[in-house]
Amino acid sequence: MIHIEPSGAACGASVRGVDLSAPLDDATLAAIRAAWLEHGVVAFPDQALSIEDLERFTLALGPRGDDPFIAPIPGHAHVVEIRREPDEQAPIFAETWHSDWSFLPVPPAGTALYGTVMPPVGGDTLFACGAAAWDALPAAERALLRDRRAVHSARRGYARDGMYGEQDRARGRSMAIRFGDDALATRLHPVARAHPETGRVALFVSPGYTIGIEGLPTDESADLLRRLFEHQKKPEFVYRHRWAPGMLLLWDNRRLVHAATGGYEGHRRLLHRITIAARVPIEPAPPGSVH
């Protein structure tokens, strides 16, 4: 029997009583999906999973998603490694707040990350609830933002001069990152994004991938985004997840932003990740749905 233990924070829960290495029946999958939608990020501890198990479980939750700037592992076209070796000197991967691949025309619904080799200390992942952050904005500010669109791009991370570009390759990063000029492209998405399954509105911007606000001068746009970025990472919106070996983490990119942390210098860390595509395209919030 599935047991769900909420974290007590604005998002996050642990799910026990389920073995993800075996095929799941429809009722169990429905319960997992309900927990995922309710809590935003759910952890499944004490799982012994193969790559094939991870592929089967995630495919039951939604279509395969794309990972445009990370090469997959051999033989598994939709599985990537989040890897760091003990002596690695490059900056921690993904330590800037972001929603995975929000610069895509249709950003992914979710991400599943499995802890294959975990260090004994450090490596926590921070999650901030965009829905709680939106709800906490003053009504006047929500009214100003409700019809705005933000400019998303991968350029800060994956362009040739980005964080993971040509200079990063020279640092000897162990991950199979593929930077390129495609990262310069931009895409517009609503600042106030209505969740396609729950209807709840979330603040959908991040310092990792949001570079502007449509229709605003550069300085005004930058000032507004700085204020929103500071707001969305306030402690009351954040859940700090602590990893353990054999743990699977599943999160909702439509509601959350997240950031990696370090603190495990001298230890190897290896996780396997699959991106889950959205079942329906992103759309602006319908009139009257943003409160």
Side-chain angles (χ1 to χ4, degrees):
M1 180 177 179
I2 289 183
H3 175 70
I4 299 169
E5 181 180 352
S7 69
C11 57
S14 293
V15 179
R16 299 181 184 274
V18 60
D19 180 4
L20 301 181
S21 69
L24 303 177
D25 58 40
D26 290 345
T28 301
L29 284 169
I32 289 172
R33 189 173 198 88
W36 178 39
L37 293 176
E38 179 179 357
H39 299 287
V41 53
V42 289
F44 301 83
D46 303 320
Q47 301 289 328
L49 303 181
S50 66
I51 298 297
E52 291 77 13
D53 295 332
L54 183 60
E55 290 173 319
R56 182 185 61 252
F57 172 62
T58 53
L59 194 57
L61 294 172
R64 297 280 187 242
D66 294 325
D67 287 288
F69 295 105
I70 307 177
I73 64 174
H76 300 273
H78 295 279
V79 181
V80 301
E81 288 185 340
I82 308 300
R83 174 192 292 269
R84 189 172 180 87
E85 298 299 337
D87 58 349
E88 197 158 327
Q89 299 299 311
I92 297 295
F93 178 70
E95 61 183 347
T96 301
W97 288 98
H98 63 286
S99 174
D100 285 337
W101 310 143
S102 68
F103 51 82
L104 292 176
V106 182
T111 301
L113 188 61
Y114 179 65
T116 305
V117 178
M118 303 306 299
V121 294
D124 296 351
T125 303
L126 305 177
F127 292 89
C129 180
W134 174 259
D135 291 345
L137 285 171
E141 189 155 14
R142 293 201 302 268
L144 290 173
L145 292 172
R146 60 177 297 168
D147 295 322
R148 288 287 185 184
R149 295 193 297 176
V151 183
H152 293 248
S153 175
R155 63 185 58 187
R156 289 175 178 162
Y158 299 100
R160 295 182 184 278
D161 61 351
M163 173 67 75
Y164 309 117
E166 291 174 345
Q167 290 184 350
D168 189 66
R169 177 172 290 178
R171 298 186 184 109
R173 185 179 298 277
S174 59
M175 283 183 59
I177 292 177
R178 301 182 295 191
F179 61 84
D181 294 336
D182 290 350
L184 299 175
T186 61
R187 182 66 56 172
L188 294 172
H189 294 308
V191 172
R193 182 183 181 186
H195 196 290
E197 295 187 67
T198 69
R200 191 175 181 189
V201 175
L203 184 62
F204 192 62
V205 295
S206 75
Y209 295 137
T210 308
I211 63 172
I213 301 292
E214 182 187 34
L216 292 184
T218 301
D219 56 347
E220 187 177 342
S221 172
D223 182 64
L224 173 58
L225 284 174
R226 277 193 297 268
R227 289 190 287 109
L228 292 177
F229 297 156
E230 287 301 312
H231 172 74
Q232 73 182 163
K233 66 177 185 180
K234 288 179 178 177
E236 56 264 39
F237 309 140
V238 174
Y239 161 62
R240 187 180 190 100
H241 177 75
R242 290 177 170 82
W243 286 89
M247 178 177 283
L248 176 73
L249 201 60
L250 172 68
W251 67 83
D252 191 335
N253 289 297
R254 301 161 295 188
R255 172 181 166 184
L256 307 176
V257 291
H258 62 282
T261 68
Y264 52 94
E265 291 80 4
H267 297 282
R268 188 169 187 253
R269 188 172 185 264
L270 175 64
L271 305 98
H272 287 98
R273 191 180 88 178
I274 290 182
T275 300
I276 303 168
R279 289 176 167 174
V280 294
I282 185 173
E283 294 290 349
S289 68
V290 182
H291 57 277

